[in-house]
Amino acid sequence: MSHDVKNIMVILSSVSGVGKTTITKKIQQKYQSFKISVSHTTRKPRPNEVDGVDYHFVTKEKFKKLIDDGKFYEHAKIFDNFYGTHKDSVDKMIKKNDIIFDIDWQGTKQLSKFKNLELIKIYLIPPSKKELKNRLIKRNQDSLDEVERRFEAFDNDIKHWKDYDYIIINENLENCYKQVEKIISKHKNIFKASQITV
Ligand code: 5GP
């Protein structure tokens, strides 16, 4: 028997260094139906990042033109760079796939205004500020100045937790992933058949 299961949109937000990217990738690997929304950004690519895969890397001029042409569902300025979610790619993707958005609280607020988008909003928090700093330093992706800036953004960022449907403390990546998976399964009804008791 086939179920008429609706495609879902999941937002995963957190400050950098809480494990969002890893969790997002794990979900996509396990559930083929999920695609990651690839944002546009004016940030410079990091050494391992690929244009069109991690982000669409564009100039500030191009980004501004996309804003002026009304091409974004949402866009935000974060640490001197711009990030945005392109309407066309989301509209196309949702017809066939579930979508995960790795976006910040500003984008979450803007996306929430579109009543046609059914969103599941998840906010991940680190177990402590000390642990966050350790993780930011350990992942070694940014300069120490950048690490400091990202760390300092935490106090402002966490103020917006109330805009989310679920809050998860990422003490341990595997447990955190399992909780995200549980939320997704609940909404997607992925395990519907196995839950039926006779
Ligand atoms: P990073 O520079 O570390 O890749 O990302 C910095 C922040 O930008 C992260 O919190 C990430 O969630 C957020 N971000 C990435 N893409 C978008 C987007 O399209 N819109 C918004 N609002 N935030 C984004």
Side-chain angles (χ1 to χ4, degrees), residues 12 14-16 20 39-40 43 46 49 55 74-76 78-79 83-85 102-104 106-107 139 150:
L12 270 188
S14 72
V15 285
S16 326
K20 232 176 350 180
S39 299
H40 282 64
R43 171 168 76 59
R46 294 184 180 124
E49 287 179 331
Y55 281 105
E74 62 78 31
H75 59 89
I78 307 166
F79 309 116
Y83 296 81
T85 304
D102 171 348
I103 62 174
D104 82 332
Q106 305 176 75
R139 72 177 193 167
R150 283 167 188 261

mmCIF file of all heavy atoms in Angstrom, residues 12 14-16 20 39-40 43 46 49 55 74-76 78-79 83-85 102-104 106-107 139 150, ligand 1:
data_model
loop_
_atom_site.group_PDB
_atom_site.id
_atom_site.type_symbol
_atom_site.label_atom_id
_atom_site.label_comp_id
_atom_site.label_asym_id
_atom_site.label_seq_id
_atom_site.Cartn_x
_atom_site.Cartn_y
_atom_site.Cartn_z
ATOM 1 N N LEU A 12 17.286 23.741 9.890
ATOM 2 C CA LEU A 12 18.219 23.473 10.988
ATOM 3 C C LEU A 12 19.045 24.734 11.198
ATOM 4 O O LEU A 12 19.774 25.167 10.304
ATOM 5 C CB LEU A 12 19.184 22.351 10.606
ATOM 6 C CG LEU A 12 18.831 20.910 10.904
ATOM 7 C CD1 LEU A 12 20.032 20.032 10.611
ATOM 8 C CD2 LEU A 12 18.389 20.698 12.338
ATOM 9 N N SER A 14 21.631 27.060 13.915
ATOM 10 C CA SER A 14 22.484 27.125 15.105
ATOM 11 C C SER A 14 23.610 28.082 14.775
ATOM 12 O O SER A 14 23.798 28.414 13.601
ATOM 13 C CB SER A 14 23.090 25.755 15.422
ATOM 14 O OG SER A 14 24.078 25.430 14.467
ATOM 15 N N VAL A 15 24.348 28.490 15.776
ATOM 16 C CA VAL A 15 25.571 29.210 15.451
ATOM 17 C C VAL A 15 26.550 28.202 14.838
ATOM 18 O O VAL A 15 26.351 26.991 14.974
ATOM 19 C CB VAL A 15 26.223 29.882 16.697
ATOM 20 C CG1 VAL A 15 25.457 31.111 17.106
ATOM 21 C CG2 VAL A 15 26.368 28.914 17.840
ATOM 22 N N SER A 16 27.592 28.697 14.206
ATOM 23 C CA SER A 16 28.562 27.769 13.599
ATOM 24 C C SER A 16 29.222 26.937 14.688
ATOM 25 O O SER A 16 29.413 27.400 15.808
ATOM 26 C CB SER A 16 29.670 28.526 12.870
ATOM 27 O OG SER A 16 29.181 29.689 12.306
ATOM 28 N N LYS A 20 25.652 21.298 12.703
ATOM 29 C CA LYS A 20 24.579 21.367 11.704
ATOM 30 C C LYS A 20 24.927 20.701 10.378
ATOM 31 O O LYS A 20 24.157 19.910 9.847
ATOM 32 C CB LYS A 20 24.357 22.850 11.405
ATOM 33 C CG LYS A 20 22.992 23.335 11.502
ATOM 34 C CD LYS A 20 22.960 24.850 11.266
ATOM 35 C CE LYS A 20 24.313 25.509 11.233
ATOM 36 N NZ LYS A 20 24.294 26.942 11.022
ATOM 37 N N SER A 39 22.363 27.496 -0.729
ATOM 38 C CA SER A 39 22.161 28.948 -0.656
ATOM 39 C C SER A 39 23.109 29.700 -1.578
ATOM 40 O O SER A 39 24.139 29.171 -1.991
ATOM 41 C CB SER A 39 22.430 29.436 0.768
ATOM 42 O OG SER A 39 21.557 28.843 1.668
ATOM 43 N N HIS A 40 22.757 30.949 -1.834
ATOM 44 C CA HIS A 40 23.687 31.869 -2.484
ATOM 45 C C HIS A 40 24.439 32.625 -1.385
ATOM 46 O O HIS A 40 23.846 32.930 -0.349
ATOM 47 C CB HIS A 40 22.938 32.890 -3.345
ATOM 48 C CG HIS A 40 22.484 32.339 -4.654
ATOM 49 N ND1 HIS A 40 21.554 31.324 -4.741
ATOM 50 C CD2 HIS A 40 22.836 32.654 -5.928
ATOM 51 C CE1 HIS A 40 21.358 31.032 -6.023
ATOM 52 N NE2 HIS A 40 22.126 31.827 -6.761
ATOM 53 N N ARG A 43 30.121 35.186 0.568
ATOM 54 C CA ARG A 43 31.337 34.774 1.292
ATOM 55 C C ARG A 43 32.290 34.070 0.328
ATOM 56 O O ARG A 43 31.852 33.399 -0.601
ATOM 57 C CB ARG A 43 30.939 33.842 2.457
ATOM 58 C CG ARG A 43 32.139 33.199 3.117
ATOM 59 C CD ARG A 43 31.864 32.518 4.428
ATOM 60 N NE ARG A 43 31.199 31.226 4.433
ATOM 61 C CZ ARG A 43 31.620 30.112 3.841
ATOM 62 N NH1 ARG A 43 32.705 30.115 3.072
ATOM 63 N NH2 ARG A 43 30.944 28.987 3.974
ATOM 64 N N ARG A 46 35.590 28.338 1.310
ATOM 65 C CA ARG A 46 36.661 27.757 2.124
ATOM 66 C C ARG A 46 37.363 26.711 1.257
ATOM 67 O O ARG A 46 36.801 26.270 0.243
ATOM 68 C CB ARG A 46 36.066 27.090 3.370
ATOM 69 C CG ARG A 46 35.428 28.105 4.313
ATOM 70 C CD ARG A 46 34.927 27.421 5.589
ATOM 71 N NE ARG A 46 34.327 28.376 6.487
ATOM 72 C CZ ARG A 46 33.079 28.296 6.973
ATOM 73 N NH1 ARG A 46 32.303 27.290 6.638
ATOM 74 N NH2 ARG A 46 32.620 29.200 7.793
ATOM 75 N N GLU A 49 35.323 23.795 -0.136
ATOM 76 C CA GLU A 49 33.966 24.059 -0.632
ATOM 77 C C GLU A 49 33.918 24.143 -2.158
ATOM 78 O O GLU A 49 34.829 24.646 -2.804
ATOM 79 C CB GLU A 49 33.440 25.359 -0.014
ATOM 80 C CG GLU A 49 33.076 25.184 1.451
ATOM 81 C CD GLU A 49 32.566 26.454 2.108
ATOM 82 O OE1 GLU A 49 32.971 27.546 1.689
ATOM 83 O OE2 GLU A 49 31.782 26.351 3.054
ATOM 84 N N TYR A 55 27.652 26.024 -1.694
ATOM 85 C CA TYR A 55 26.953 27.295 -1.901
ATOM 86 C C TYR A 55 27.031 27.646 -3.376
ATOM 87 O O TYR A 55 27.874 27.106 -4.100
ATOM 88 C CB TYR A 55 27.673 28.438 -1.149
ATOM 89 C CG TYR A 55 27.408 28.516 0.335
ATOM 90 C CD1 TYR A 55 28.375 28.094 1.257
ATOM 91 C CD2 TYR A 55 26.227 29.050 0.836
ATOM 92 C CE1 TYR A 55 28.153 28.189 2.630
ATOM 93 C CE2 TYR A 55 26.000 29.150 2.205
ATOM 94 C CZ TYR A 55 26.963 28.720 3.093
ATOM 95 O OH TYR A 55 26.737 28.812 4.451
ATOM 96 N N GLU A 74 14.281 34.433 1.182
ATOM 97 C CA GLU A 74 14.829 35.143 2.341
ATOM 98 C C GLU A 74 16.284 35.443 2.061
ATOM 99 O O GLU A 74 16.932 34.744 1.284
ATOM 100 C CB GLU A 74 14.679 34.297 3.613
ATOM 101 C CG GLU A 74 15.426 32.950 3.613
ATOM 102 C CD GLU A 74 16.908 33.061 3.870
ATOM 103 O OE1 GLU A 74 17.331 33.978 4.597
ATOM 104 O OE2 GLU A 74 17.665 32.221 3.327
ATOM 105 N N HIS A 75 16.779 36.493 2.718
ATOM 106 C CA HIS A 75 18.217 36.756 2.645
ATOM 107 C C HIS A 75 18.630 37.510 3.891
ATOM 108 O O HIS A 75 17.803 38.174 4.528
ATOM 109 C CB HIS A 75 18.588 37.528 1.380
ATOM 110 C CG HIS A 75 17.898 38.849 1.264
ATOM 111 N ND1 HIS A 75 18.411 40.006 1.791
ATOM 112 C CD2 HIS A 75 16.714 39.172 0.709
ATOM 113 C CE1 HIS A 75 17.574 40.992 1.549
ATOM 114 N NE2 HIS A 75 16.531 40.526 0.903
ATOM 115 N N ALA A 76 19.903 37.369 4.268
ATOM 116 C CA ALA A 76 20.355 38.001 5.499
ATOM 117 C C ALA A 76 21.827 38.352 5.395
ATOM 118 O O ALA A 76 22.580 37.725 4.633
ATOM 119 C CB ALA A 76 20.142 37.037 6.666
ATOM 120 N N ILE A 78 25.181 38.263 7.381
ATOM 121 C CA ILE A 78 25.785 37.575 8.531
ATOM 122 C C ILE A 78 27.302 37.746 8.442
ATOM 123 O O ILE A 78 27.905 37.369 7.421
ATOM 124 C CB ILE A 78 25.428 36.058 8.521
ATOM 125 C CG1 ILE A 78 23.909 35.859 8.419
ATOM 126 C CG2 ILE A 78 25.978 35.354 9.762
ATOM 127 C CD1 ILE A 78 23.469 34.439 8.064
ATOM 128 N N PHE A 79 27.897 38.309 9.469
ATOM 129 C CA PHE A 79 29.358 38.565 9.455
ATOM 130 C C PHE A 79 29.844 39.217 8.153
ATOM 131 O O PHE A 79 30.691 38.657 7.450
ATOM 132 C CB PHE A 79 30.181 37.280 9.636
ATOM 133 C CG PHE A 79 29.776 36.444 10.807
ATOM 134 C CD1 PHE A 79 29.259 35.186 10.625
ATOM 135 C CD2 PHE A 79 29.912 36.921 12.100
ATOM 136 C CE1 PHE A 79 28.874 34.399 11.698
ATOM 137 C CE2 PHE A 79 29.531 36.146 13.176
ATOM 138 C CZ PHE A 79 29.016 34.889 12.983
ATOM 139 N N TYR A 83 23.727 36.057 2.584
ATOM 140 C CA TYR A 83 23.315 34.679 2.326
ATOM 141 C C TYR A 83 21.841 34.712 1.931
ATOM 142 O O TYR A 83 21.068 35.481 2.508
ATOM 143 C CB TYR A 83 23.446 33.834 3.599
ATOM 144 C CG TYR A 83 24.849 33.679 4.129
ATOM 145 C CD1 TYR A 83 25.440 34.681 4.895
ATOM 146 C CD2 TYR A 83 25.575 32.518 3.897
ATOM 147 C CE1 TYR A 83 26.731 34.532 5.409
ATOM 148 C CE2 TYR A 83 26.864 32.357 4.409
ATOM 149 C CZ TYR A 83 27.432 33.369 5.160
ATOM 150 O OH TYR A 83 28.700 33.218 5.663
ATOM 151 N N GLY A 84 21.440 33.875 0.995
ATOM 152 C CA GLY A 84 20.028 33.892 0.610
ATOM 153 C C GLY A 84 19.549 32.582 0.014
ATOM 154 O O GLY A 84 20.326 31.788 -0.520
ATOM 155 N N THR A 85 18.237 32.366 0.131
ATOM 156 C CA THR A 85 17.598 31.160 -0.397
ATOM 157 C C THR A 85 16.810 31.525 -1.652
ATOM 158 O O THR A 85 15.863 32.314 -1.585
ATOM 159 C CB THR A 85 16.633 30.565 0.659
ATOM 160 O OG1 THR A 85 17.368 30.317 1.854
ATOM 161 C CG2 THR A 85 15.994 29.285 0.165
ATOM 162 N N ASP A 102 19.867 24.961 5.858
ATOM 163 C CA ASP A 102 20.833 25.325 6.892
ATOM 164 C C ASP A 102 20.903 26.850 6.848
ATOM 165 O O ASP A 102 21.712 27.417 6.114
ATOM 166 C CB ASP A 102 22.173 24.659 6.535
ATOM 167 C CG ASP A 102 23.325 25.134 7.402
ATOM 168 O OD1 ASP A 102 23.173 26.137 8.137
ATOM 169 O OD2 ASP A 102 24.399 24.513 7.331
ATOM 170 N N ILE A 103 20.000 27.488 7.575
ATOM 171 C CA ILE A 103 19.939 28.959 7.531
ATOM 172 C C ILE A 103 19.840 29.519 8.948
ATOM 173 O O ILE A 103 19.556 28.782 9.881
ATOM 174 C CB ILE A 103 18.746 29.470 6.685
ATOM 175 C CG1 ILE A 103 17.412 29.020 7.273
ATOM 176 C CG2 ILE A 103 18.876 29.015 5.243
ATOM 177 C CD1 ILE A 103 16.201 29.613 6.584
ATOM 178 N N ASP A 104 20.061 30.815 9.092
ATOM 179 C CA ASP A 104 20.068 31.388 10.436
ATOM 180 C C ASP A 104 18.670 31.849 10.867
ATOM 181 O O ASP A 104 17.695 31.688 10.124
ATOM 182 C CB ASP A 104 21.094 32.527 10.523
ATOM 183 C CG ASP A 104 20.533 33.841 9.986
ATOM 184 O OD1 ASP A 104 19.644 33.804 9.103
ATOM 185 O OD2 ASP A 104 20.961 34.901 10.458
ATOM 186 N N GLN A 106 17.422 34.779 11.129
ATOM 187 C CA GLN A 106 16.823 35.852 10.316
ATOM 188 C C GLN A 106 16.070 35.256 9.128
ATOM 189 O O GLN A 106 14.953 35.651 8.800
ATOM 190 C CB GLN A 106 17.901 36.789 9.786
ATOM 191 C CG GLN A 106 18.792 37.395 10.840
ATOM 192 C CD GLN A 106 19.898 38.234 10.215
ATOM 193 O OE1 GLN A 106 19.663 39.336 9.743
ATOM 194 N NE2 GLN A 106 21.115 37.715 10.181
ATOM 195 N N GLY A 107 16.725 34.262 8.504
ATOM 196 C CA GLY A 107 16.102 33.589 7.367
ATOM 197 C C GLY A 107 14.876 32.794 7.803
ATOM 198 O O GLY A 107 13.867 32.745 7.099
ATOM 199 N N ARG A 139 37.643 22.730 14.696
ATOM 200 C CA ARG A 139 37.293 22.442 13.296
ATOM 201 C C ARG A 139 38.204 23.192 12.321
ATOM 202 O O ARG A 139 38.251 22.880 11.133
ATOM 203 C CB ARG A 139 35.822 22.691 12.999
ATOM 204 C CG ARG A 139 35.420 24.132 12.963
ATOM 205 C CD ARG A 139 33.959 24.268 12.600
ATOM 206 N NE ARG A 139 33.667 25.652 12.262
ATOM 207 C CZ ARG A 139 32.587 26.070 11.687
ATOM 208 N NH1 ARG A 139 31.659 25.223 11.352
ATOM 209 N NH2 ARG A 139 32.404 27.343 11.423
ATOM 210 N N ARG A 150 32.409 34.559 15.545
ATOM 211 C CA ARG A 150 31.337 33.562 15.516
ATOM 212 C C ARG A 150 30.936 33.184 16.942
ATOM 213 O O ARG A 150 29.763 32.989 17.235
ATOM 214 C CB ARG A 150 31.772 32.326 14.708
ATOM 215 C CG ARG A 150 31.698 32.605 13.226
ATOM 216 C CD ARG A 150 32.380 31.590 12.355
ATOM 217 N NE ARG A 150 32.387 32.076 10.985
ATOM 218 C CZ ARG A 150 31.520 31.712 10.040
ATOM 219 N NH1 ARG A 150 30.603 30.833 10.298
ATOM 220 N NH2 ARG A 150 31.594 32.233 8.840
HETATM 221 P P1 5GP B 1 28.963 29.750 6.992
HETATM 222 O O1 5GP B 1 29.631 31.011 6.526
HETATM 223 O O2 5GP B 1 29.629 29.191 8.227
HETATM 224 O O3 5GP B 1 28.812 28.730 5.896
HETATM 225 O O4 5GP B 1 27.489 30.123 7.425
HETATM 226 C C1 5GP B 1 27.243 31.163 8.333
HETATM 227 C C2 5GP B 1 25.791 31.165 8.720
HETATM 228 O O5 5GP B 1 24.984 31.466 7.585
HETATM 229 C C3 5GP B 1 25.264 29.836 9.253
HETATM 230 O O6 5GP B 1 24.590 30.081 10.460
HETATM 231 C C4 5GP B 1 24.276 29.370 8.201
HETATM 232 O O7 5GP B 1 23.214 28.658 8.773
HETATM 233 C C5 5GP B 1 23.818 30.679 7.637
HETATM 234 N N1 5GP B 1 23.271 30.567 6.277
HETATM 235 C C6 5GP B 1 23.723 29.813 5.255
HETATM 236 N N2 5GP B 1 22.961 29.975 4.162
HETATM 237 C C7 5GP B 1 21.983 30.836 4.506
HETATM 238 C C8 5GP B 1 20.868 31.387 3.808
HETATM 239 O O8 5GP B 1 20.600 31.114 2.643
HETATM 240 N N3 5GP B 1 20.096 32.259 4.487
HETATM 241 C C9 5GP B 1 20.332 32.603 5.799
HETATM 242 N N4 5GP B 1 19.492 33.445 6.379
HETATM 243 N N5 5GP B 1 21.363 32.088 6.485
HETATM 244 C C10 5GP B 1 22.182 31.224 5.857
#
